Amino acid sequence: MRTRTVRTRPFAALALLAAGAAVLAGGGPVGAAPTTTTAAGAAPRAAQQEEGPADTCDVTKSVPPSTEDGPAVKAIKAKRSLVIGVDQNSYRWGARNPNTGQIEGFDIDLARAIGAAIIGDPDKVVLKPVATADRIDAIKKGRVDLIVRTMTINCKRMEDVAFSKPYFNITQRVLVPKASPAKTIDDAVKGRTVCVADGSTAQTVVNGMKTAGQVVTVGNQLDCLVLLQLGKADAVMTDNGLAAGQAAQDQTVRIVDGEAQPEVIGVAMLKESPDLTARVNQVLADYYARGDWARSYEHWLKPYMLNDADHYWPGTR
């Protein structure tokens, strides 16, 4: 198996242009029904095995929710700005609207809710686009206060950064061109050129399978869709939410049967800021209790996902 990294800064814009009216018009439900499912609220053990031995950590564990202002929260309030690392290329999660120029999506709704709760004004939130591979570095070097960007919680990452309680259940899925004969993940990967985002969970999963002919890595997930469109990749592995968004963007691709590695995603921040983690956990609990999480899911994701909202909420109130 060979691994190749592709530098593709212009590709994301190309994908949006190639998707054209599909991005603006939206689409119907995509992807075949998965052969296995993850029950909402179950602690995903496979996610704990990524890049480390099994049962070495609890990916659902975080500090208790709190409304108290500790040093990290006070520092954010003093500067009157909260910088949140987000995606700007993932349709329905975090993507720039070509009509307004604004970044919008499910993760963006949550980011603004966190900002409104902490500094009292969602307009004071600075949304800073961050590449997949740069998420942890952006936190540790102080370029952002938080990451709200479909970031999988796993044991290795928990060594570097702190995570909130999980706010979404995900699994890995595989996209292929509609003309592909592949019916399952194994069919789509074995001997094929598979594209993944550098630093993503998908990269670890594909490398662990050891059956791909070549693994191509890119800086941003949407660039994989472009490589698929250009015939430079046979398949794309990413989490189910992003896969559904890409299939909604481009009606010439489909999601194959099956899913891999149940996981959860959370908000990431500095380990040295437990008071900020506690505040974010309080925001998540309130966000869900008010029904805002469900409303955001209904608006952004329901038309493109396979299950009702309860399937994707980890139940970590």
Side-chain angles (χ1 to χ4, degrees):
M1 179 181 70
R2 294 183 295 147
T3 300
R4 181 164 61 96
T5 300
V6 177
R7 302 300 178 190
T8 53
R9 295 184 68 86
F11 280 4
L14 178 57
L16 290 173
L17 291 172
V23 178
L24 299 177
V30 297
T35 56
T36 60
T37 59
T38 304
R45 306 311 300 171
Q48 299 177 24
Q49 299 176 29
E50 183 190 357
E51 301 183 30
D55 301 321
T56 58
C57 73
D58 180 356
V59 297
T60 67
K61 186 177 181 180
S62 185
V63 300
S66 174
T67 58
E68 296 296 320
D69 286 357
V73 173
K74 288 179 179 177
I76 289 169
K77 288 185 173 182
K79 69 178 181 179
R80 298 187 57 78
S81 174
L82 179 66
V83 182
I84 302 181
V86 298
D87 198 346
Q88 65 173 349
N89 296 314
S90 292
Y91 187 48
R92 295 276 161 171
W93 286 86
R96 198 171 293 279
N97 186 314
N99 292 326
T100 66
Q102 299 298 308
I103 302 176
E104 58 186 25
F106 182 81
D107 273 347
I108 306 306
D109 283 355
L110 176 57
R112 293 192 183 282
I114 293 171
I118 292 178
I119 56 178
D121 185 352
D123 292 333
K124 296 292 184 182
V125 176
V126 177
L127 300 178
K128 187 179 181 68
V130 176
T132 303
D134 293 336
R135 291 175 296 188
I136 289 177
D137 198 47
I139 293 170
K140 295 179 76 172
K141 292 186 176 178
R143 295 198 297 269
V144 300
D145 299 305
L146 306 167
I147 290 285
V148 184
R149 194 190 184 283
T150 57
M151 191 168 179
T152 303
I153 306 173
N154 62 54
C155 298
K156 182 174 176 58
R157 288 174 179 166
M158 289 175 76
E159 294 174 0
D160 292 318
V161 297
F163 281 96
S164 69
K165 289 282 190 176
Y167 66 87
F168 209 90
N169 288 326
I170 61 170
T171 56
Q172 294 297 306
R173 304 295 301 273
V174 173
L175 284 157
V176 296
K178 282 190 174 177
S180 170
K183 295 182 179 180
T184 67
I185 290 177
D186 287 340
D187 293 341
V189 171
K190 188 175 182 180
R192 304 292 186 179
T193 297
V194 183
C195 185
V196 295
D198 190 25
S200 67
T201 301
Q203 183 179 23
T204 302
V205 173
V206 171
N207 287 339
M209 293 176 70
K210 301 182 186 299
T211 58
Q214 183 178 24
V215 178
V216 178
T217 61
V218 296
N220 286 294
Q221 178 57 49
L222 189 59
D223 296 334
C224 280
L225 178 59
V226 177
L227 292 181
L228 200 65
Q229 292 168 340
L230 297 176
K232 296 183 181 296
D234 302 309
V236 172
M237 181 175 282
T238 186
D239 72 60
N240 56 351
L242 298 181
Q246 291 185 18
Q249 279 181 271
D250 186 349
Q251 302 301 311
T252 69
V253 304
R254 61 182 174 86
I255 303 174
V256 301
D257 288 350
E259 55 187 1
Q261 191 147 332
E263 302 152 337
V264 288
I265 60 177
V267 180
M269 64 216 86
L270 281 174
K271 294 181 75 172
E272 295 80 9
S273 304
D275 63 300
L276 178 58
T277 308
R279 177 57 67 86
V280 171
N281 283 336
Q282 185 65 56
V283 175
L284 284 173
D286 294 341
Y287 192 67
Y288 183 84
R290 290 195 305 265
D292 292 342
W293 186 96
R295 280 187 286 273
S296 185
Y297 175 84
E298 293 283 325
H299 179 74
W300 294 110
L301 302 179
K302 185 178 180 179
Y304 310 98
M305 303 294 284
L306 295 168
N307 298 285
D308 291 333
D310 286 346
H311 180 83
Y312 299 107
W313 173 249
T316 50
R317 299 175 182 70

